[in-house]
């Protein structure tokens, strides 16, 4: 059921677009009641907008820069921090993610005490950035993560986790029966 005030777009992720020229935003959500020709849930929002998915555009641009820093793509470890991480390999990237995750947790604990959330934001940005490097190392993109989040939207976290454990248990049972 579509009205003049509702627009549907075939977007594979939840997004944020400006609701007007001011500071208010409308969240685009996948709506399981509105399906495209391929049966996929359609993103629905209540206000037409001149641009879409600020977050997605930023992540795509950053992912492209990160991809270009891979030594195989001409990234130079002598001049690029990201190329240097790629050249050092998986363990260096994963170690950096661990460091950034710890720093994010510590910043959040400090913010709980002093109310200053600026360090949480800064450290979280570092964590996301380094996670994007890891994604690129394994041939994944931010879009892959957004699609996985969209797939999980509306699922109970408890049920989703239980279904993964069930699947892992079935896989382990299948693997053990092969031996």
């Amino acid at each position: 059921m579509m009205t003049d005030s509702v627009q549907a777009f075939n977007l594979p992720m939840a997004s944020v677009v400006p609701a007007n020229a001011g500071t208010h935003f409308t969240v685009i959500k996948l709506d399981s009641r509105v399906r495209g020709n391929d049966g996929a849930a359609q993103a629905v929002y209540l206000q037409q907008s001149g641009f879409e998915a600020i977050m997605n555009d930023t992540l795509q641009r950053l992912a492209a820069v990160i991809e270009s820093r891979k030594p195989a793509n001409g990234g130079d470890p002598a001049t690029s921090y990201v190329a240097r991480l790629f050249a050092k390999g998986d363990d260096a990237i994963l170690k950096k993610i661990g460091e950034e995750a710890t720093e994010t947790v510590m910043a959040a604990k400090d913010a709980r005490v002093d109310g200053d959330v600026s360090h949480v934001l800064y450290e979280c940005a570092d964590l996301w950035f380094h996670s994007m490097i890891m994604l690129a190392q394994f041939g994944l993109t931010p879009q892959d993560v957004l699609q996985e989040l969209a797939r999980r939207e509306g699922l109970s976290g408890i049920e989703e986790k239980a279904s993964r454990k069930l699947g892992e248990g079935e896989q382990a049972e299948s693997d053990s029966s092969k031996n």
Side-chain angles (χ1 to χ4, degrees):
M1 172 179 83
M2 299 293 289
T3 68
D4 290 341
S5 63
V6 176
Q7 298 290 319
F9 296 85
N10 189 9
L11 299 175
M13 41 83 66
S15 307
V16 176
V17 297
N20 58 38
T23 59
H24 301 285
F25 288 86
T26 300
V27 176
I28 294 176
K29 292 181 59 176
L30 292 179
D31 187 333
S32 61
R33 297 166 298 179
V34 180
R35 299 272 176 190
N37 293 338
D38 62 356
Q42 299 293 293
V44 175
Y45 69 98
L46 298 178
Q47 178 125 0
Q48 193 169 6
S49 172
F51 72 88
E52 71 181 65
I54 292 172
M55 181 175 73
N56 193 36
D57 289 347
T58 300
L59 292 174
Q60 286 179 352
R61 283 193 314 271
L62 184 54
V65 170
I66 289 170
E67 188 68 28
S68 76
R69 298 300 196 264
K70 288 182 173 179
N73 295 334
D76 182 1
T79 60
S80 167
Y81 168 77
V82 173
R84 192 173 310 140
L85 276 177
F86 280 131
K88 289 180 178 180
D90 299 350
D91 287 339
I93 295 167
L94 298 174
K95 179 181 177 186
K96 192 62 184 170
I97 290 172
E99 291 171 9
E100 296 301 339
T102 300
E103 290 172 10
T104 302
V105 169
M106 297 309 296
K109 286 180 173 273
D110 290 346
R112 191 171 53 192
V113 173
D114 64 20
D116 181 3
V117 297
S118 64
H119 294 289
V120 175
L121 180 62
Y122 181 83
E123 295 300 341
C124 193
D126 283 350
L127 179 58
W128 280 25
F129 176 75
H130 288 90
S131 293
M132 288 178 67
I133 295 170
M134 178 195 61
L135 290 171
Q137 178 74 358
F138 291 100
L140 297 168
T141 67
Q143 188 63 37
D144 295 325
V145 176
L146 294 172
Q147 287 172 336
E148 176 61 15
L149 290 171
R151 183 191 69 77
R152 294 180 186 187
E153 185 177 10
L155 297 177
S156 158
I158 294 170
E159 291 172 11
E160 195 279 333
K161 188 171 182 178
S163 72
R164 281 189 283 145
K165 285 187 177 183
L166 177 63
E168 292 166 3
E170 291 170 356
Q171 180 63 41
E173 190 175 294
S174 172
D175 290 347
S176 67
S177 68
K178 292 178 185 176
N179 294 329

